Amino acid sequence: MNDVLPDDNAAWTTLERVAARIFAGYGYEQIRLPIMERTALFKRAVGEVTDIVEKEMYTFEDRGGDSMSLRPEGTAGAVRAGIEHGLLHNATQRLWYVGPMFRYERPQKGRYRQFHQFGVEAFGQVGPDVDIEQVALSARLFRTLGVTGLQLQINTLGTPEERAEYRDALHAYFSARADALDADSQRRLDRNPLRILDSKNPDMAALIEGAPTLREYLGPESSAHFQGLCDGLDRLGIAYTINPRLVRGLDYYTRTVFEWITRDLGAQDAVCSGGRFDGLVEQLGGSTTPAMGFALGVERVIALMQAQDAALVDLAPQVYLVYKGDAAQARVPVLAEQLRDALPHLRLRVHAGGGSLKSQFKRADKSGARLALVFGDDEAAADEIQIKPLTDRRPQEQVGLERLAERIAALLD
Ligand code: HAM
């Protein structure tokens, strides 16, 4: 679980602002969800035989004896809220959320126990239009952030019926090779053989490689849906790779699944992933509602933004106010508030901690501010102030306090 220190904040703020703007640009509305839900919700939604539910949830009993879990992901809570508030009944909804998720995984670069996701969920559209829309949205997000080098992988998981047939085929394939299965996979063989496919054990890789693929078991509607997705992406000029081994680690997916993959973060290569979950609303007690969504891993995208020197919003102070003398100091708070009234977007840092003017200027330089304001007792007596450019080669100037805001605005323009 990480602290995000001020130095990293410009990247976080950039991502937050760009994401909020792009989501709104596609008609998605923000929903704010609790970080804790009943454990049963995740068991039913994510699936009992998944790494997340079996090994990774932070689960505890609350004082009333209910089993609660910190959310390992956001889709279950979004569906729960949609049903509870009647948002999904005979309606289409496009929702997004952001916040911390919790998984007890082995921490390494790009994988944390508290991490953050931006999530997007659309309800009520059978697609594949909305599948295409969400891939295009995520592509635009990365393009706008200046993050490059990502590869889009897509696959289809078919319907539950098609998957049941496939499951039997997988079961037969792995049963015939039961000796080669690791302990996890042996346990999963009877309960959920599909999960064997996302085993992270390298010793299992060759066996998994040889397993049958789901595409051989798709019916005509699922095939047409997938073809529609591919055609739509082709028309948009979005390049993709079909990866028949992309099965995702959560049980609720149907048909379309996709992931944006990077080579720059080592083993944690998925920066954004999702898919359709046409059965989940009904499974959690709502009416039959097709749905499609994805989530983006904030820490992973931030790491890419920093590694790729993406343009970040500037949150550094623009103006640094230094002062000397009792008469000046007494007026500083009023002066600063007046400036903030006059220039509501100004980022003004008032020096704190006293010290000589020389040491105050050192701080001003370090802050990244473009202008220093110098307010001494002489200036206070004359209702004037010195403006000293720190980053441009302009001369220092002295202005009357009544003209200060106007002059700062002109110099920063
Ligand atoms: P997920 O693939 O489990 O999907 O997670 C989505 C993204 O969260 C991943 O692609 C990755 O970038 C990030 N992520 C996952 N685990 C960690 C971790 N331990 N540390 C850092 N980042 C991580 C879901 O959660 C689904 N709810 C997505 C979805 C929404 N599907 C449909 N709607």
Side-chain angles (χ1 to χ4, degrees), residues 121-183:
E121 318 284 3
F123 296 96
Q125 292 165 271
V126 261
D129 313 25
V130 68
D131 312 19
I132 299 164
E133 171 182 280
Q134 289 191 3
V135 173
L137 185 162
S138 55
R140 181 179 298 278
L141 188 55
F142 292 125
R143 207 159 58 237
T144 310
L145 291 168
V147 169
T148 57
L150 298 181
Q151 190 203 40
L152 173 64
Q153 299 198 341
I154 62 172
N155 189 26
T156 177
L157 299 181
T159 62
E161 297 72 35
E162 290 154 1
R163 258 218 312 284
E165 266 190 60
Y166 176 53
R167 190 191 142 109
D168 292 345
L170 272 186
H171 188 267
Y173 171 85
F174 285 119
S175 302
R177 294 157 185 82
D179 292 349
L181 297 179
D182 63 11

